Amino acid sequence: MDDLREVGDEAAWSLSSAKPGNGVEQLRDGSTETFWQSDGQQPHFINIQFQRKVRISELRLFISYKIDESYTPSCISVRIGTAQHDLQEIQIVDMKEPDGWITIRLARLGGEAQCAATPSCVPRDPEIGGAVDFIRTHFIQLAVLANHQNGRDAHIRQIQVHGPRSSYRPHQVEGCALKFHTNVMHPFACIR
């Protein structure tokens, strides 16, 4: 997790539907007490659109079966593309009474043979199509395909989008009196 950063704030978010007072703001406010509630027939969609192609490694969703019961998703599809017209499904995740943060990997980490599953969250493609470390995309769509107890509307309490940190590592300049440890301050370490 230390090698990843949250990139969701760089995107424009939209929903297929939402009950008043339970929209994108609640989905992204950082509180697990608030939630997005869909309104209408399934499937329900969450669209995440970036202005440029970004590297994405995983999605993290906070879902609580204990609180939301029939509003809890049991099957979610993840699709990527450049826009809504060319989406390709890259993962389907089946969930059994999830409670807490659920991680949906979109790429295997460096040395992993396949994506790890938990009893409450099982990816249908544990090899994630062979993607390693990250995928590059402009557009991510999450589709809630089914809910527990055949519920109609869905509750998702939070979503985070994680991508790899920049590979830039500051080099040490000999003879500098100041030893900054952050990428931001490193250019100011010495006078040339």
Side-chain angles (χ1 to χ4, degrees), residues 97-148:
E97 300 182 4
D99 191 44
W101 287 102
I102 300 297
T103 299
I104 301 174
R105 291 267 177 85
L106 304 182
R108 292 179 289 123
L109 296 180
E112 281 185 333
Q114 57 181 319
C115 178
T118 63
S120 64
C121 181
V122 180
R124 292 190 186 171
D125 179 9
E127 294 180 9
I128 315 172
V132 178
D133 291 332
F134 60 85
I135 56 163
R136 290 176 46 90
T137 188
H138 282 281
F139 197 96
I140 302 170
Q141 182 180 73
L142 279 81
V144 177
L145 304 178
N147 284 347
H148 285 78

Side-chain angles (χ1 to χ4, degrees), residues 2-67:
D2 292 337
D3 294 339
L4 301 177
R5 67 185 182 98
E6 214 284 330
V7 296
D9 289 338
E10 299 173 19
W13 292 68
S14 64
L15 305 167
S16 57
S17 64
K19 294 273 188 187
N22 295 97
V24 172
E25 296 81 18
Q26 290 71 33
L27 189 61
R28 296 284 300 157
D29 66 4
S31 170
T32 58
E33 301 299 315
T34 60
F35 52 87
W36 162 59
Q37 181 174 337
S38 61
D39 187 18
Q41 296 296 317
Q42 289 175 343
H44 306 296
F45 300 106
I46 300 170
N47 298 310
I48 308 164
Q49 187 166 15
F50 295 91
Q51 287 186 343
R52 60 180 173 77
K53 216 175 218 187
V54 295
R55 299 183 305 170
I56 305 295
S57 300
E58 67 185 29
L59 303 172
R60 297 188 73 221
L61 287 69
F62 192 91
I63 301 172
S64 180
Y65 179 78
K66 290 179 183 177
I67 298 171

Side-chain angles (χ1 to χ4, degrees), residues 77-118:
S77 165
V78 180
R79 304 160 184 175
I80 63 169
T82 56
Q84 282 185 321
H85 68 277
D86 69 349
L87 295 174
Q88 295 182 0
E89 187 169 78
I90 61 166
Q91 189 62 278
I92 296 177
V93 179
D94 295 308
M95 294 177 281
K96 184 172 168 56
E97 300 182 4
D99 191 44
W101 287 102
I102 300 297
T103 299
I104 301 174
R105 291 267 177 85
L106 304 182
R108 292 179 289 123
L109 296 180
E112 281 185 333
Q114 57 181 319
C115 178
T118 63

